[in-house]
Structure formats: structure tokens, C-alpha cells
């Protein structure tokens, strides 16, 4: 296999997994809900809206800290559900194969605009993400997923942060568990629990009273 053919095949393998992620389509109308966040024993609450153009609106928060924290959680939801084409996100990248481990996960190495990033792929699922974002490296390992019939959603995964080429900067490992509800045509995350190595109490985020908006008008 030539280097060119290898890069093409690695790109196809990664693209298939990227496009198998569950995202909201262009007809997504947005929704309203009540958000609850238990963070370090402090209870935050607010009314939230994700608008049809995927803007986050937080209202009636019980404190300024609640407004900020809940806004951040809602932005995280939007970032991972917004649909962006493979060409828009990775059109300036090149891909090549790394090793395949005993479980069958294939390491995909990135060159070009995002050189140094890397991913693992298995069964059309991105099982590992290692990306540099604004000078910080985030590493996510997906442990279990949920098949919506329109793409997969991660349910259990770990994450940690570090500085490039600085092993002493690695943050404590965080363990995430997400739950989803099927609301007609769309899946919405209803809860997220995050436990951090060394901390006694997990962080819990929940959405209740979720109602899809009726139209995009």
C-alpha cells in the first residue's frame, strides 16, 4: 500500500466514524427545560432554552454562579450535537494509520492543520479523542455508547487535561455518565454525572420538564 493510499483509507475510516455520531439535523427546533446542577454540594437551578439557531438562553437562575455554571453545561450539550460536515471540520487535515490494539481499536494520526491530534476508531465509533484546544490537550476515552438508529451517543467516558509535552500537568481523571431521552424526532441529554478521582462527591446535572419548541419560525 502506498503512503497516498494509506492516507486515503485512514481518512475514509475516520470519516465514517465521525459521520456516525448522533447530531441534530437542520430541522431541529430547539427546546426549553429546567436545569438542575449539584456542584460541590451547592444546588443550582435555572430555566434554559436552546433556540432553533442553537443559542443558549439561561433565565431565572437562583444565583449568578448558577447562571454561569448552567450556561457552560448547556453550551457543552450544543457543541456535541451541532451538525458540522467532515469537510468543514477536517478538510485541512491529513490522516494516517497508527497501531491497532488488541481490542481492534485503530489509531488515527492527524497531520496538516491539526497536526499532533489523534483518534481511535472501532466499528464506526470514535473511541478516543486526543486534541489540543487553545494550548490545552484534552484526552477522552469512550467506554460505552448508545445507538439511536441515527448515529451513536457516548454514555460512559473518561477525560483528563494536560499541557503539550508536559506529563506533570495531567489533571485528575474524570468519569462521565450521560443519559438521554427520545423526544419524538430527537434525543436530548437528560442527565450527566461526573466524578473526579480524589473527590468524594460527584457533580450531577439534570434537565427536567423538557419541551421541544413547536417550529423554527
Amino acid at each position: 500500500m502506498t503512503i497516498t493510499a494509506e492516507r486515503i483509507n485512514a481518512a475514509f475510516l475516520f470519516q465514517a466514524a465521525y459521520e456516525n455520531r448522533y447530531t441534530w439535523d437542520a430541522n431541529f427546533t430547539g427546546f426549553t427545560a429546567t436545569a438542575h446542577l449539584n456542584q460541590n454540594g451547592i444546588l443550582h437551578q435555572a430555566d434554559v432554552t436552546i433556540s432553533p439557531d442553537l443559542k443558549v438562553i439561561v433565565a431565572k437562575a437562583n444565583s449568578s454562579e448558577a447562571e454561569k455554571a448552567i450556561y457552560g453545561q448547556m453550551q457543552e450539550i450544543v457543541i456535541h450535537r451541532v451538525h458540522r460536515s467532515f469537510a468543514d471540520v477536517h478538510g485541512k487535515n491529513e490522516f494516517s494509520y497508527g497501531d491497532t490494539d488488541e481490542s481492534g481499536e485503530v489509531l488515527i494520526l492527524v497531520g496538516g492543520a491539526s497536526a499532533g491530534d489523534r483518534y481511535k476508531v472501532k466499528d464506526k465509533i470514535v473511541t478516543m479523542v486526543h486534541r489540543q484546544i487553545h494550548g490545552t490537550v484534552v484526552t477522552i476515552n469512550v467506554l460505552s455508547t448508545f445507538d439511536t438508529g441515527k448515529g451513536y451517543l457516548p454514555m460512559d467516558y473518561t477525560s483528563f487535561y494536560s499541557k503539550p509535552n508536559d506529563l506533570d500537568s495531567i489533571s485528575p481523571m474524570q468519569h462521565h455518565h450521560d443519559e438521554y431521552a427520545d423526544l419524538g424526532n430527537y434525543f436530548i441529554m437528560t442527565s450527566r454525572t461526573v466524578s473526579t478521582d480524589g473527590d468524594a462527591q460527584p457533580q450531577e446535572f439534570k434537565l427536567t420538564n423538557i419541551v421541544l419548541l413547536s417550529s423554527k419560525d
Side-chain angles (χ1 to χ4, degrees):
M1 181 185 293
T2 67
I3 293 176
T4 300
E6 177 183 335
R7 287 179 176 175
I8 291 172
N9 289 340
F12 279 145
L13 183 69
F14 180 58
Q15 182 174 354
Y18 176 90
E19 293 178 345
N20 189 36
R21 300 171 308 120
Y22 176 80
T23 56
W24 294 325
D25 62 26
N27 295 318
F28 182 66
T29 59
F31 66 88
T32 62
T34 303
H36 314 263
L37 176 62
N38 186 338
Q39 191 174 49
N40 300 320
I42 300 174
L43 299 178
H44 303 302
Q45 183 171 312
D47 293 340
V48 295
T49 300
I50 292 181
S51 66
D53 59 354
L54 302 183
K55 298 291 178 57
V56 174
I57 302 167
V58 179
K60 298 181 180 178
N62 61 348
S63 69
S64 58
E65 291 81 4
E67 181 175 4
K68 181 178 180 180
I70 289 174
Y71 180 86
Q73 292 287 332
M74 297 302 295
Q75 278 289 103
E76 185 79 9
I77 292 174
V78 170
I79 287 170
H80 288 95
R81 296 288 77 79
V82 64
H83 179 79
R84 298 178 64 196
S85 73
F86 185 80
D88 285 345
V89 177
H90 292 290
K92 296 182 180 180
N93 291 333
E94 298 175 349
F95 302 93
S96 60
Y97 289 122
D99 295 331
T100 300
D101 65 21
E102 295 179 353
S103 71
E105 291 180 321
V106 180
L107 181 64
I108 303 293
L109 305 174
V110 183
S114 299
D117 290 356
R118 56 185 184 268
Y119 301 87
K120 287 185 178 180
V121 173
K122 181 183 179 183
D123 299 330
K124 293 180 67 176
I125 292 173
V126 179
T127 58
M128 190 275 285
V129 175
H130 181 88
R131 291 184 58 204
Q132 183 170 324
I133 305 173
H134 304 306
T136 299
V137 177
V138 58
T139 303
I140 299 170
N141 286 284
V142 177
L143 307 177
S144 71
T145 60
F146 171 66
D147 184 2
T148 69
K150 299 178 181 179
Y152 73 89
L153 286 163
M155 293 191 70
D156 293 283
Y157 50 101
T158 63
S159 66
F160 62 87
Y161 298 87
S162 60
K163 294 295 183 182
N165 304 314
D166 183 359
L167 295 178
D168 293 333
S169 68
I170 294 176
S171 68
M173 181 80 72
Q174 291 188 320
H175 306 263
H176 308 252
H177 177 74
D178 293 352
E179 296 282 349
Y180 303 89
D182 181 359
L183 299 179
N185 294 324
Y186 297 101
F187 285 85
I188 308 293
M189 194 192 80
T190 56
S191 69
R192 170 172 291 158
T193 302
V194 182
S195 58
T196 303
D197 286 353
D199 289 348
Q201 185 173 8
Q203 173 180 289
E204 297 177 333
F205 178 72
K206 293 184 178 181
L207 292 178
T208 60
N209 305 318
I210 303 171
V211 178
L212 290 175
L213 299 177
S214 58
S215 71
K216 297 193 70 170
D217 296 332

